[in-house]
Amino acid sequence: MNWKKGLVTIPLAATLAIPSLGLNVYADDHVETPSVDTEAVELRSSLDHLLSEHVYLAVETMRKGAEGAADFDQAAGALNQNTEDLSAAIASVYGEEAGDEFQEMWSSHIGFFVDYVKATGAEDEAAKQEALDNLGTYKKEFSQFLEDATGERLEADALAEGLQMHVDQLVGAFDAFVAGDYDKAYEYEREAMSHMYMVSKGLSDAMSSQFPEKFNDTSAVTPAADLRSDLSYLLSEHAGLAVVAMQNGIDGSEDFEASAEALSNNTEELSNTIGSVYGEEAGEQFQEMWSDHIGHFVSYVKATGAEDEQAKEQALTALEGYRAEFSSFIETATEGKVDADVMSEGLQMHANQLIGAFDSYAMEDYEASYEEIRVAYEHMFNPGKALSGAISAQFPDKFSQEMPSDMPKTGLAPQDTGMNSTTWLAIGGMFALITALVFHFRRQQQEQ
């Protein structure tokens, strides 16, 4: 089979048709504006979205299976739709035959996780081990598939190590959940989602270098691309964790506190990110507003449980106030590079999506709920693009240089699993860049 002959124009890079969100990108005349939307970076962002969503939906589906939840089939259906989207993405680059082979292997590995869930429920240790053995076989076959597809730009042995990490994270999250160690379960889930951004970084780097003419000779690995990926991770994770916390809240689930804590940790990391660029005071202001808007969603959940229509309306009104205040904050911080009115529209979409997903879930319309969940998760890659574009345009000298493509041939680079507040900056020497950013911004403030 010659996958290279099946190469077609890349629709994958267009799977996130992201609006500008009012982004007015410009920089000093003497410095080239760094780009967050080249063909290769769009490829990376598309893979960021689909691979991280796979982890999110896989973890939630396994939990639903363990609980015997009424929405298990719909969660599994959303996971299958994600598989179809990923398979279409592979086919768009390597041809239909490769896409079909990818889908068969990817679906089988999801099936092995389901087998593990069923075996756990049946307390069948032999069946659990069989599921793990099958995942081991899949790991080898899939790693070889990727090595062949990328013309050995990714190495099978090293890929297999990264895939084992993926398996360990998902199984670890599930085992911790079943054991009632909910804090550990959510820690594993966040690590697993973060890890997939390393996968997409490696894959996009390999694919764009393999077919440079299809990606206009652009690189998927640059400081600006890393910034976009890192912000997209935290913002999309916010949406995913918010959905889980809201579901747990209305269900009165035992893991509600742990899910709320995971959401709070995400907020802290987002706030530290803003603070690292715009200063501590701005980070604190961001955290206060961001926490408030989460609180309004919680108020809506409580009002729904109490069947208090007036309280529900009050929560929605409070979200309206937050939307205006937060949009103004972002416009000011980015010096008008993100327009407040357009940002406000995007925030309304975010609120509508989360409320819609929750309302459908509360009414037991699970099909509609998971459709809205997928839309809400994907939508958060929009502000990730807009904010990274604005920040890199504000400080072009810090993001314009090309980063050497020294990606390991795994595509699954090891990560910092400590999940501290600066994890997102660890990739590619971003600590030094952000430190310089802060110095530059504060110096500008002092000169005003």
Side-chain angles (χ1 to χ4, degrees):
M1 173 171 60
N2 189 341
W3 291 326
K4 295 180 182 178
K5 290 183 178 179
L7 180 66
V8 295
T9 302
I10 313 297
L12 171 61
T15 56
L16 293 179
I18 302 179
S20 66
L21 293 183
L23 176 61
N24 306 310
V25 177
Y26 59 88
D28 296 337
D29 292 338
H30 66 285
V31 181
E32 180 181 356
T33 303
S35 179
V36 299
D37 60 357
T38 66
E39 290 85 347
V41 176
E42 291 294 350
L43 167 70
R44 178 176 172 181
S45 183
S46 299
L47 290 172
D48 280 348
H49 161 220
L50 293 173
L51 289 169
S52 65
E53 186 191 49
H54 158 73
V55 168
Y56 171 68
L57 292 173
V59 169
E60 295 311 314
T61 299
M62 292 172 75
R63 287 179 181 160
K64 300 291 185 180
E67 295 174 327
D71 58 327
F72 169 77
D73 288 340
Q74 290 76 18
L79 181 58
N80 288 335
Q81 289 168 6
N82 170 272
T83 296
E84 291 179 6
D85 291 342
L86 269 170
S87 302
I90 295 298
S92 74
V93 178
Y94 295 109
E96 184 176 350
E97 186 176 355
D100 290 342
E101 186 174 352
F102 175 93
Q103 183 163 0
E104 181 179 353
M105 286 188 290
W106 197 258
S107 298
S108 69
H109 105 281
I110 292 174
F112 299 144
F113 281 121
V114 173
D115 290 342
Y116 187 87
V117 172
K118 292 179 178 178
T120 299
E123 299 182 358
D124 188 336
E125 293 300 321
K128 287 173 66 176
Q129 188 58 51
E130 181 179 1
L132 294 176
D133 291 342
N134 287 333
L135 282 167
T137 300
Y138 152 80
K139 176 182 65 177
K140 296 177 182 178
E141 294 176 351
F142 189 68
S143 298
Q144 190 61 54
F145 167 83
L146 287 180
E147 180 182 87
D148 293 343
T150 61
E152 298 184 354
R153 286 169 176 81
L154 301 177
E155 295 177 350
D157 289 345
L159 276 165
E161 293 179 10
L163 287 171
Q164 187 61 54
M165 184 184 297
H166 172 61
V167 170
D168 291 343
Q169 288 164 339
L170 292 194
V171 170
F174 174 74
D175 284 346
F177 181 82
V178 171
D181 188 350
Y182 302 126
D183 288 337
K184 190 66 175 178
Y186 282 97
E187 180 182 338
Y188 268 122
E189 179 177 11
R190 295 199 67 208
E191 289 177 3
M193 292 176 69
S194 175
H195 177 237
M196 294 309 279
Y197 283 80
M198 298 296 93
V199 178
S200 52
K201 183 176 184 176
L203 282 175
S204 59
D205 185 60
M207 294 163 79
S208 59
S209 64
Q210 187 176 10
F211 305 110
E213 70 283 359
K214 295 299 179 182
F215 296 96
N216 199 25
D217 291 309
T218 57
S219 174
V221 183
T222 68
D226 280 351
L227 179 65
R228 176 177 173 180
S229 183
D230 298 333
L231 284 170
S232 295
Y233 156 57
L234 289 172
L235 289 166
S236 61
E237 185 189 53
H238 157 75
L241 292 174
V243 166
V244 175
M246 292 172 77
Q247 289 184 358
N248 285 344
I250 197 66
D251 291 341
S253 301
E254 292 182 359
D255 60 318
F256 170 73
E257 293 295 336
S259 62
E261 180 65 20
L263 183 58
S264 177
N265 290 339
N266 170 272
T267 295
E268 184 177 351
E269 291 175 30
L270 267 171
S271 304
N272 287 334
T273 295
I274 296 299
S276 71
V277 177
Y278 296 113
E280 184 177 350
E281 185 177 352
E284 291 174 353
Q285 187 177 354
F286 176 94
Q287 184 163 1
E288 181 178 354
M289 288 187 290
W290 197 257
S291 298
D292 283 347
H293 105 281
I294 292 174
H296 301 325
F297 283 121
V298 172
S299 296
Y300 187 88
V301 172
K302 291 180 178 178
T304 300
E307 299 183 359
D308 187 337
E309 293 300 320
Q310 182 178 359
K312 287 172 65 176
E313 192 60 37
Q314 288 174 346
L316 294 177
T317 300
L319 281 168
E320 287 277 347
Y322 151 79
R323 181 164 58 97
E325 182 183 9
F326 187 78
S327 298
S328 178
F329 168 82
I330 292 297
E331 182 180 71
T332 300
T334 62
E335 300 174 328
K337 291 177 174 59
V338 176
D339 181 78
D341 290 339
V342 183
M343 172 61 80
S344 181
E345 293 178 11
L347 288 171
Q348 187 60 54
M349 290 178 63
H350 172 60
N352 291 344
Q353 289 158 353
L354 292 192
I355 294 295
F358 172 74
D359 283 346
S360 296
Y361 181 82
M363 292 185 293
E364 300 182 3
D365 185 353
Y366 302 128
E367 198 74 39
S369 181
Y370 280 93
E371 288 178 6
E372 199 69 64
I373 289 168
R374 293 201 70 202
V375 170
Y377 190 90
E378 179 178 2
H379 174 75
M380 295 308 283
F381 286 80
N382 297 4
K385 179 178 182 178
L387 289 173
S388 61
I391 293 171
S392 57
Q394 274 182 286
F395 309 107
D397 53 329
K398 306 305 178 187
F399 291 94
S400 60
Q401 67 266 37
E402 289 294 316
M403 180 180 292
S405 183
D406 57 353
M407 293 294 297
K409 290 184 177 293
T410 63
L412 305 166
Q415 68 181 71
D416 173 7
T417 57
M419 296 308 297
N420 58 39
S421 62
T422 55
T423 297
W424 80 283
L425 297 173
I427 305 169
M430 288 297 289
F431 283 118
L433 288 170
I434 293 301
T435 299
L437 264 175
V438 175
F439 176 78
H440 177 80
F441 184 78
R442 288 176 177 169
R443 184 178 62 187
Q444 282 187 330
Q445 288 182 316
Q446 293 170 354
E447 291 173 352
Q448 291 175 353

